[in-house]
Amino acid sequence: MKLVFAKDYEELSARGAELFFSQVKLKPDSVLGLATGTSPIGLYKKLIEWYESGALDFSRVHTVNLDEYTGLEGTHAQSYRFFMNKYLFDHINIDMANTNVPCGAARDLAAECEKYDALIDSLGGIDMQLLGIGNNGHVGFNEPSEAFACGTNVVKLAESTIEANSRLFSDISEVPTGAITMGCRAIMQAKRVVLLASGPAKAEIIKKACFGPVTPQVPASILQLHPDCTVIMDAEAAKLVAGC
Ligand code: F6R
C-alpha cells in the first residue's frame, strides 16, 4: 500500500484526480471503476475542470461503478446512477452507453450480479478502481462478515451504514436496506486501486485497514494484498496513522 497524506479534502481530491488524469492520458480507452459518496465528489470536480479546459478526453473511456441500492430505479434521486450522472457523467464527453452501474431495480438480482461480473470481464477488467471506505471498513458495499465476498453480490446493509448514509435522506426510514455490490475479486484484480479517506470518522478504520490484520471483518484490509493500491487520506483521517 502506498500512503499519501493530504492536508485537507481539497488536496486529497487533487492528488486522487491526478492519478485518474494520468491513467486516462496514458490509456485513453481505460476502464475506470468508480465510487459514489462524499469522498470522490471533489475528485470528479477536478476531472470535469480538466475536461472543460480541453486537457482530458473521456470519449473512449468505459466505467463500472461499485454499487447500487436495491429497489431503486436509476432515475431515483437517491440512486447511485443518478449520483454519477449528476456529479460526473453529465459534465464530460463520455458515451453514456459506456457507463455502467449495477441495476438495483433488476427483477432477478442474482442474474444481475452474474451479468455485472461478465460485463467487467468482457471489458478486460478494471484499469483503475476508485474506492471510499465505510466507517466500518466496507469497500463497495462489502460489509464486515465471516468471509470476503468474491463476485458481485447482493448485501443487506449494516445498521452503521444505513445510519451513515441517512445524512443524504430526509429520514432514516427512507434509506434502502440492501444493495448490489461488486465483490472483492474485481476490485483486487483492478490493475491499480485508489482509496480516498477524509474526515475524523475515518481515522480508526483507516488505521485498522492499513495496519491491522487482513480480515473480512475489515473488508478494506484486503487491499494490503493488492500490488498497486494508493490510499490518500487527509489529516483528519490520518490522525491515528502517524507513527504506525
Ligand atoms: C460508494 C461506496 C461506499 C462509499 C463509502 C464511503 O459507492 O461504495 O463504499 O465509498 O461508504 O462513503 P463516503 O465517501 O460518503 O464517506
Side-chain angles (χ1 to χ4, degrees):
M1 267 178 170
K2 282 175 247 169
L3 304 187
V4 175
F5 298 99
K7 183 168 82 251
D8 52 20
Y9 182 77
E10 203 184 329
E11 193 184 325
L12 163 142
S13 302
R15 293 290 85 79
E18 282 157 12
L19 295 176
F20 278 81
F21 179 93
S22 28
Q23 175 65 43
V24 174
K25 275 291 193 200
L26 293 171
K27 187 169 186 263
D29 61 346
S30 288
V31 178
L32 305 180
L34 299 179
T36 60
T38 308
S39 309
I41 291 178
L43 182 157
Y44 293 152
K45 217 169 136 219
K46 291 294 291 176
L47 295 183
I48 293 166
E49 280 169 24
W50 283 322
Y51 162 68
E52 286 173 345
S53 71
L56 266 187
D57 173 18
F58 291 90
S59 60
R60 295 172 60 202
V61 165
H62 285 72
T63 65
V64 280
N65 258 79
L66 281 168
D67 40 22
E68 180 60 282
Y69 287 123
T70 49
L72 295 194
E73 294 285 351
T75 47
H76 191 288
Q78 298 291 358
S79 74
Y80 285 173
R81 158 57 73 182
F82 193 93
F83 176 104
M84 288 309 302
N85 291 353
K86 176 174 169 186
Y87 288 105
L88 185 63
F89 301 150
D90 282 347
H91 310 282
I92 58 176
N93 67 332
I94 197 160
D95 181 345
M96 277 293 182
N98 293 343
T99 69
N100 300 283
V101 181
C103 178
R107 281 244 194 106
D108 184 343
L109 289 170
E112 176 63 16
C113 291
E114 277 183 28
K115 209 171 103 190
Y116 207 65
D117 282 333
L119 168 85
I120 296 169
D121 287 345
S122 74
L123 291 170
I126 297 164
D127 289 303
M128 182 172 275
Q129 175 65 55
L130 181 62
L131 297 173
I133 180 169
N135 298 350
N136 63 0
H138 70 217
V139 283
F141 271 136
N142 296 288
E143 300 284 26
S145 74
E146 294 308 309
F148 290 108
C150 194
T152 297
N153 61 105
V154 178
V155 290
K156 187 174 167 327
L157 296 178
E159 282 306 318
S160 61
T161 300
I162 294 174
E163 208 179 301
N165 290 3
S166 67
R167 72 189 191 282
L168 306 167
F169 291 77
S170 47
D171 190 87
I172 192 163
S173 62
E174 288 172 17
V175 186
T177 54
I180 178 166
T181 181
M182 198 187 278
C184 293
R185 184 179 58 220
I187 295 172
M188 289 300 283
Q189 285 179 347
K191 293 187 185 75
R192 299 172 76 193
V193 174
V194 178
L195 184 144
L196 304 179
S198 169
K202 303 291 166 71
E204 285 238 353
I205 200 65
I206 268 296
K207 184 177 177 189
K208 285 188 187 157
C210 299
F211 295 98
V214 175
T215 163
Q217 295 298 337
V218 181
S221 65
I222 198 173
L223 298 169
Q224 291 179 32
L225 306 177
H226 193 281
D228 190 345
C229 173
T230 303
V231 179
I232 309 177
M233 54 190 105
D234 66 13
E236 289 181 323
K239 68 181 179 194
L240 301 178
V241 160
C244 279

